[in-house]
Amino acid sequence: MQQTWDVVVVGAGPAGTAAAMSALRTRPGARVLLLDRADFPRDKACGDGIAPQALDELARMGAADVLADRVPVRRLRIVAPGGGQVATTLERPDHVVPRTLFDARLVEAAVCRGAVLQRRTVRRLDVRADEVVLDDEVRARVVVGADGANGVVRRAVGAGRQPDTAMAVAVRGYAAAPPGEPEQRIVMTARDWPAYAWSFAAGDGTANVGFGMLLPSLRAAPRGGRAELHGRLEELLPGVRAERLVSHHLPLSSVRPPLRPGRVLLAGDALSLINPLTGEGIFYALLSGRLAGAAAVGDGDPGRAYARLVRDELGRHLRHTTLLARLTRRPRLVDAGVAAAARSPRSLDALVELGLGRGLITPALAGGLARELLLG
Ligand SMILES: Cc1cc2nc3c(=O)[nH]c(=O)nc-3n(C[C@H](O)[C@H](O)[C@H](O)COP(=O)(O)OP(=O)(O)OC[C@H]3O[C@@H](n4cnc5c(N)ncnc54)[C@H](O)[C@@H]3O)c2cc1C
């Protein structure tokens, strides 16, 4: 048997690398092992959209330089299910960075700070009173499960599968970007709502394009599976020739596994922290990874400490987005939201913060929605 690590992180995506960096920042000299089944750089099905809130998280961990050479993308256009639009120039830009590059840079940053990276596909966890043993070989005081959607750690601790009703599926590919200033374009559709396509220009002549919908709608769709996702992408973004198409699940935060006391903490997609309004998950992965890393090397029960931190930082936001996701099952409310955003910058800011960060349903947004619904 090997030495006992202070923290073993399973999964070296944004959540896992943030957990490793945060543990080492909170307790310099901690023995942190970062395990991933893949060699880096590795691809990950994603829209590659990195919100400014995610950049804030990187800055908190002293890792903002991973985006330093990337082009900021300020233009945002949202097309509502009913066809109405809002287009704006964001004060705080997004970045569009292929995950092959972004995640490899995060891994490098974690290793530079002292994490030990090993390639391993974790299959089993034995949770004991004083330690956790992985695959009968690796011993840890605390484990952070950051192994993404459908991860093994979540199953091993009995936290259950994500219900289909709170699971989305999306396909992404790469295409030539439309001419002009780089823009993030979201095209919603009333058919099988909630469902939307995106085209996120990276600023280097390429765009990440994709389409996503809820799993039950995909199962019920006539073509089903990949053919349905690819077909809908072509319909909503006509003329776009996408290559390198891959799809993946998105566990939405409207249903999450419980935060439990103990030595095993779940972060990022493993904790179902994808925004149900937008499908954004990188910010929540970085944030929850940071909290998990700090709790893992802190005093007292790590699971209890982590639960408190997550509730303090995200509790209200998660309640508000869950409520709004339920209300917006009717596309008319989304049409009203986009119309309110087109009319009022304050409503637009509130919507963006709800979809990408820690935002709440503000009085300005609620008033704007009510007004549009009454007018419409
Ligand atoms: C098509 C699509 C588009 C998306 N677009 C966006 C977007 O534009 N912006 C955004 O913010 N979010 C987006 N998301 C969500 C975002 O991709 C995820 O929320 C984010 O990757 C979560 O990070 P994570 O670290 O939790 O998990 P991941 O990034 O999935 O990382 C998990 C890691 O764990 C490893 N792993 C898995 N199992 C094991 C195992 N048994 N042993 C060892 N290692 C293991 C994997 O190799 C992987 O490296 C999108 C998702 C999809 C599917």
Side-chain angles (χ1 to χ4, degrees), residues 11 14-15 36-37 42 44 47 49 99 120 122 269 280-282:
D36 204 289
R37 66 182 173 198
R42 64 103 180 83
K44 153 82 178 80
R99 294 289 298 273
R120 170 186 285 272
V122 172
D269 283 12
E280 206 246 12
I282 294 173

Side-chain angles (χ1 to χ4, degrees), residues 83-95:
Q85 306 199 10
V86 57
T88 186
T89 300
L90 297 166
E91 209 171 293
R92 303 188 65 212
D94 275 19
H95 290 79

Side-chain angles (χ1 to χ4, degrees), residues 10-16 35-38 40 42 44-49 99 103 120-122 146-148 152 170-172 198 200 248-250 267-269 274 279-282 285:
V10 183
L35 299 174
D36 204 289
R37 66 182 173 198
F40 286 81
R42 64 103 180 83
K44 153 82 178 80
C46 187
D48 302 339
R99 294 289 298 273
D103 290 28
R120 170 186 285 272
T121 302
V122 172
D147 46 346
V152 73
V171 65
R172 79 96 235 261
W198 70 84
F200 293 168
H248 199 54
H249 288 110
L250 296 91
D269 283 12
I274 294 191
E280 206 246 12
I282 294 173

